[in-house]
Amino acid sequence: MYFAVISIFPEMFATIREFGITGRAVTQEQVTIECINPRDYTTDNYRRIDERPYGGGPGMVMMAEPLSKAIEDARLRAKEYGCRVDSEHCPVIYMSPQGQTLSESSVVGMTYYDGMILLCGRYEGIDERLLSQYVDMEVSLGDYVLTGGELPAMVLMDSVIRRLPDIMGDDKSAEQDSFVDGLLDCPHYTKPHEFAGMAVPEVLLSGHHANIAKWRFAQQVSRTQTRRPDLWQAFTPTVEQAKWLEALAKADKK
Ligand SMILES: NC[C@H]1CCC[C@@H](CNc2ccc(C(N)=O)cn2)C1
């Protein structure tokens, strides 16, 4: 999958290009992450990418021209990587508090794109004419404001990359994680057997895989009910999970 990020701070993206599972995905050429700096598309000696806002007010606004050239170049590069460069297959996504809130389900939907061009804003914002002309979708991480769109862009790329096929050693681990089946994650334990006077739940040492799976599911259910009643309300169990829920309800009655 192809990712182009338009940002005046390309060095920031070393964080996902050089470490962990996303770094390995880049090394193994399962994903390509290209950083495109709008400053490279300026024509003046000061390489200006921002100007004072029309109508006055504090701060600076990012100019449309350099960003439009950077996006057009990103589209060319995406095409070279074999992407179908249209909004259905390789959208221009603007990271902004005004966008659609990212969720695990929208992340999974994005894994079907050929690529994405991520626009990272700074300052007070980006000239509206650039946004209306080039942006296909605005995405928000949540209702808070950061100094730039780079961290949200990295969060988006990380969440999409981990859901691509053959990225996580064991695809099931990505699927069993929080939110994937609509429930929060279960607790995890590893060596040593005892820590701070606390042992490991016996069932996990039993080697009885069916009981372990049931215990983990029960933990997911109780955690979701207590910590995220909103998620619990929306939860629709699979046939298998419905059976386990019934068994849990019976066990609780005893
Ligand atoms: N007017 C502020 C605005 C100007 C343009 C650039 C953005 C970058 N900051 C962001 C981006 C996204 C999010 C989020 N919630 O996903 C939060 N913060 C900030």
Side-chain angles (χ1 to χ4, degrees):
M1 188 166 187
Y2 177 81
F3 295 92
V5 283
I6 314 280
S7 165
I8 59 172
F9 296 128
E11 299 83 0
M12 286 180 74
F13 293 89
T15 302
I16 56 168
R17 292 161 56 113
E18 297 174 15
F19 300 93
I21 288 173
T22 54
R24 189 182 63 199
V26 171
T27 309
Q28 292 175 349
E29 298 185 358
Q30 291 164 294
V31 304
T32 299
I33 301 177
E34 287 207 316
C35 301
I36 299 175
N37 189 337
R39 274 200 208 288
D40 297 339
Y41 301 85
T42 54
T43 49
D44 65 306
N45 298 338
Y46 301 96
R47 289 164 54 88
R48 287 203 78 91
I49 45 97
D50 63 316
E51 268 292 359
R52 302 280 303 130
Y54 279 123
M60 306 295 273
V61 174
M62 295 182 85
M63 297 157 76
E65 199 77 39
L67 291 172
S68 66
K69 291 177 182 163
I71 291 169
E72 277 152 20
D73 203 19
R75 283 184 172 144
L76 282 180
R77 295 177 190 216
K79 205 175 173 71
E80 280 162 22
Y81 272 89
C83 295
R84 291 163 290 181
V85 185
D86 58 67
S87 52
E88 299 306 309
H89 300 101
C90 186
V92 175
I93 298 177
Y94 177 45
M95 305 311 296
S96 120
Q98 286 76 39
Q100 286 290 317
T101 306
L102 191 66
S103 67
E104 192 67 19
S105 54
S106 58
V107 163
V108 171
M110 294 180 181
T111 60
Y112 294 97
Y113 288 143
D114 294 351
M116 295 186 216
I117 296 170
L118 303 180
L119 181 57
C120 303
R122 289 247 154 197
Y123 309 106
E124 294 311 303
I126 293 178
D127 189 304
E128 191 62 22
R129 293 165 295 181
L130 184 281
L131 301 180
S132 57
Q133 186 71 16
Y134 286 90
V135 170
D136 300 306
M137 182 197 307
E138 292 197 23
V139 170
S140 170
L141 297 188
D143 294 334
Y144 47 86
V145 184
L146 303 170
T147 55
E150 284 80 9
L151 289 172
M154 283 190 259
V155 168
L156 174 60
M157 286 191 279
D158 186 296
S159 64
V160 171
I161 290 169
R162 73 181 287 280
R163 295 307 303 270
L164 291 172
D166 310 324
I167 293 286
M168 299 281 274
D170 174 352
D171 278 358
K172 278 194 283 303
S173 65
E175 282 153 21
Q176 278 161 2
D177 215 324
S178 287
F179 303 103
V180 169
D181 55 7
L183 297 173
L184 297 183
D185 203 3
C186 62
H188 299 277
Y189 299 83
T190 188
K191 294 176 183 168
H193 176 265
E194 193 151 318
F195 170 72
M198 295 177 280
V200 172
E202 279 308 311
V203 65
L204 298 180
L205 310 172
S206 69
H208 195 301
H209 298 295
N211 286 355
I212 291 170
K214 283 193 190 108
W215 179 85
R216 286 176 168 160
F217 177 70
Q219 291 293 317
Q220 282 187 272
V221 168
S222 61
R223 271 185 166 192
T224 309
Q225 288 171 335
T226 48
R227 297 185 192 188
R228 291 291 304 270
D230 59 310
L231 282 181
W232 179 244
Q233 282 306 318
F235 175 57
T236 44
T238 61
V239 173
E240 183 75 18
Q241 289 172 332
K243 277 189 221 142
W244 285 1
L245 282 172
E246 250 177 79
L248 281 174
K250 282 201 189 87
D252 283 351
K253 286 205 179 68
K254 282 179 193 143

